[in-house]
Amino acid sequence: MRTSNLCGPVTVAHPTACGGRLNHVTMTSSLNVNAPLFFPRVRPAATTIEESLNLAVNIIYVFYSNARSIRNNLAELHLKLYCGEFKILCFSETWLSLNFTDGMLDPMSKFNIYRRDRNAQWPAGGVCIFICKSLQSCLCAKTTDNILYANTEIVAANIYLNAKYYITIVCTYLPPNLTQDLFHLIMLHLKDICSLGSPLVLVGDFNMPSIDWTNMISGCDTKSVEFCELCSDNGLIQLVEEPTRLNNILDLVLCNDRTLLAKVEVSAPFGMSDHNSISFSIVPACRNIRNNASPRSFLNWHKTDWKSFLEYCKSIDWPEILQTESSVDELWCAFAAAIKAGIQLYVPICVFRQNSKMSQKIQNKSIRKLKSRKHKLWKRLKKNCSTANKLKYKLAAKNLKLTSVAAQEMNEINLINMNNLGQFYKHVNRHSVHRTGFGPLTNINGDLVVDDQQKADILNSHFVDGCTVDNGVLPPMPVVSDENRSKLESIVFSSHQVRQLLRKTQNKVSSGPDGLPSILYKQLANELCYPLARIFNVIMITGCVPETWKKACVIPVHKKGPASNPKNYRPISLTCVGCKVFESAIKNVLVPFLESKKLLSENQHGFRSKHSTCLNLLESLNDWTENLDCKIDTFVAHVDFARAFDCVSIPKLLHKLEWAGICAPLLTCIRSLLQDRTQQVKIDNCFSSFRSIGSGVPQGSVLGPILFIFYINDLTDEIDNPSVPKLYADDLKAYNSSTSDPLGQNFKSTLANITKWSDKWQLPISADKSKYLIISNKPSNYFFATDLPELAGKNLTRVSDVLDLGVNFNSKLNFSNHISCIATKAKQRLFLLKKIFSSKNVSILILGFKTYVLPILEYCSQVWNPSNLLEIRRLESVQRVFTKKLPGYQGLGYIARLDQAGLCTLELRRLRADLCFCYKILHKLIDTPISNFFQIDNARSTRGHHWKLKSVTPRLECRLNFFSYRIVKPWNSLSEITVNANSTESFCALLRLECLDKFLTIKS
């Protein structure tokens, strides 16, 4: 393939066979018998398929650089090729031409070379990929098949890790002076490559400095907008976080599977280039696709003979087994032994090979026959390449494809007919790319660890070593008033109470260290309530819990940031289900007791009924928008506590509980639950050793969240008026207005008080992650020119925009970045759904859209609901794209498509969400005073309803578009029967009958 304009031929260093055909590309030999003798000796490349498969499970190290001429840096190139750990090297701006042979680039012939040179008077540009011959690779057909893409500087190669699994790696270069037509052609080429459906790694110099990759926000130029849409539509995630040239991120690493890459680092430039280099690791999840996986057994709880199991439990003489003179550990062991004996009798054991179920679902009898017929016809075609044999083979291949697709579609239709949302979630999660895998971790030496046992030990050490060591000082507590001197000493457990708790457990088969899952307790609730109540009462009397309850199996959950960093994981503890039932009973008594004594602050919105993130944000924004409208500035500090749940001092927590009126034996039980705990980390089927935990409340337990919010509760007392604190679990923001604090001294005093509380109660603050925001229309240099605010001994970083409880806004309370971000995420989720579901069944696609896309577009919409027409249309475009691609909907208009799909506009959904939230506030279904947001219009009127609201027209748009003002007119227009609905469900049903078109820009 040759061109006379931009690009020259694609050259492959060896002829690669694909499906019995040679690739239609220029073939050149890279063997150089006169290679220099000073090169170090390298282990020979793999020569057999078995050796290649063994090599495939290793980490693949990749290097990329904008070389700005390889021809002038051959010495460094050879060092990279032969003296480094990289198996793949990608370069843009190679400046190579046809007269620069592959033998000069790779004199030892250790790499396959895939390149596309620019054919111009000055040999600039060009891209090239070097792939070690120990990896089975070939040129991607999408790079060469279409002659339309001859002028695009893109090269792509497929790396085969085994016969069924390959990764596509693409290198490209977009010059800064690229014409719009050629740029559009490059985008089409990249879109074709992305459509292959394989795991994709895209590297190159894209010259897009105006894109904000953190928030996925494009610049104003049309190129960056089109490129961002390409990334979001194809699920590409950008992983380079540091500048690669000056202060700009021009060189990018994009991937459609985040778990595939690890340790993306920006390193020194290659040669004399003015761009930094990038190195990263590809960690393929080959374990998930092994053909000869060892068989394993498991208890099939879903096929349990529950009727016989129930009769077995009835026959047990529980008073005889649960002797009152026995210790708590003996009682629990006797209970567990009796239940496990029943498990052996009535729960079947299944043995299967990995992926056997999935194989049976895909390959039914007809598919196996067609597959066998296709194979026979292929053999016949190889022997006799006649026209008749060709037609027979093509027909067999087509029938096999159609039958396979039809079988998969039938499985998806059956999934919908089950009407089980849980199974739908499982289906989607199972088909998400590499979701079951666990990425490599970096140890203390900076090396990547891929062994599951070592990874479990690394994470367990990280979780345990970060515990707080109590200093032995119990800070004094405020004097308790007479009306708050009531005590909570004990809980008496009845069989009826325990039965109600057991029936509320989830129908899951996962279990804690004792091996008894929640499904067992739920199914046998009527028979197990008596022995459990008896054990719980003994525990309450003795104040000691079984040792098994103090053991936890920790599942690491990735938070954010590089997946290879152990610091970016949160420990979720799987404890015994029996312990959770016991904790639930305590919680049902403890929470009302604390609330009756008003020991839980009204500013704490985490883990409490009638509270939410939405209410937390609305209460804050209500104050901020009102201040801004009155020309008052607001200082806002966002404080981040480091590993808050894991660093709670247990002696200090017990000291606070005792002050609140929690006495023995209940206090002794809680002490026994928290002290002397041990844990082990589980990764796949590997477990770390048990380690003791010195502090913290277990994440994943029932009592843990309640105990934590009580522990942090008195922090709000340290923040004096006029500062206002807002808490959501450990997320704290404190703010005050400039009217009472023109110089910010009260604000600094508030930060000092937060630091003082942190030191006193040993809950460490992460000052590096904390920040402050000044909500004002004044210039940024107007505040704190010299004396900067401090927190925990460090200067607090000022930011112009912030992500607060999942909502992004700036210092002028504008939500444009947030709207842009969620629109991009929603498009990425659409791409994921398109990959998961092969069926064109409209019901499946609509359910997937409602379940996985709409929550992204509607989270806390009461906070950021836009009034700008462009933003409304940008959000609406997500649903437009989705409905347009539904089968049979292409010829319809947008509103007609919505009617046929049973959907409504996103704008109307947001308005209904606003009205529903307003209903909850007015009817006291949300714990906030009505006067915080609304003023009831008490003036008598013969029209409308008696819940009419009134408001004063604000000065600024941010206040004009705020929830408490924009909702007034739509709410006042509702009918009497709607606003007086007796439940939220009834209100929502009646709201669908109301006509709200006059409040919408998109009429339905």
Side-chain angles (χ1 to χ4, degrees), residues 540-661:
M540 184 58 61
I541 293 171
T542 60
C544 179
V545 301
E547 288 298 319
T548 307
W549 288 11
K550 297 184 179 184
K551 295 180 180 180
C553 179
V554 172
I555 305 299
V557 176
H558 182 252
K559 296 184 290 186
K560 58 182 179 180
S564 58
N565 190 347
K567 295 181 180 179
N568 294 328
Y569 288 87
R570 176 186 293 111
I572 302 299
S573 300
L574 297 182
T575 56
C576 298
V577 179
C579 180
K580 291 184 177 181
V581 176
F582 179 73
E583 291 180 69
S584 299
I586 295 178
K587 175 189 172 184
N588 291 342
V589 178
L590 180 62
V591 173
F593 176 78
L594 295 176
E595 290 183 341
S596 66
K597 299 181 70 173
K598 298 182 179 179
L599 293 178
L600 294 179
S601 172
E602 61 181 10
N603 293 314
Q604 172 63 267
H605 296 267
F607 306 112
R608 299 182 64 191
S609 61
K610 297 185 178 182
H611 294 77
S612 63
T613 56
C614 186
L615 180 60
N616 181 297
L617 289 167
L618 282 177
E619 287 184 351
S620 302
L621 284 162
N622 188 40
D623 295 337
W624 300 345
T625 54
E626 188 174 1
N627 287 346
L628 203 59
D629 193 62
C630 297
K631 301 182 180 180
I632 300 173
D633 306 316
T634 309
F635 307 99
V636 186
H638 291 263
V639 181
D640 183 271
F641 290 95
R643 296 185 59 196
F645 280 73
D646 303 324
C647 294
V648 172
S649 170
I650 295 175
K652 290 180 171 59
L653 172 59
L654 296 173
H655 173 57
K656 284 189 172 184
L657 289 172
E658 188 175 11
W659 166 84

Side-chain angles (χ1 to χ4, degrees), residues 870-903:
L870 291 177
E871 294 174 348
I872 293 173
R873 287 177 175 173
R874 176 159 195 179
L875 291 171
E876 209 70 43
S877 67
V878 178
Q879 191 164 253
R880 285 180 184 273
V881 170
F882 168 73
T883 56
K884 202 169 188 178
K885 293 182 179 180
L886 290 175
Y889 285 55
Q890 288 78 6
L892 303 175
Y894 178 51
I895 301 301
R897 296 198 301 268
L898 294 180
D899 291 339
Q900 189 165 333
L903 300 171

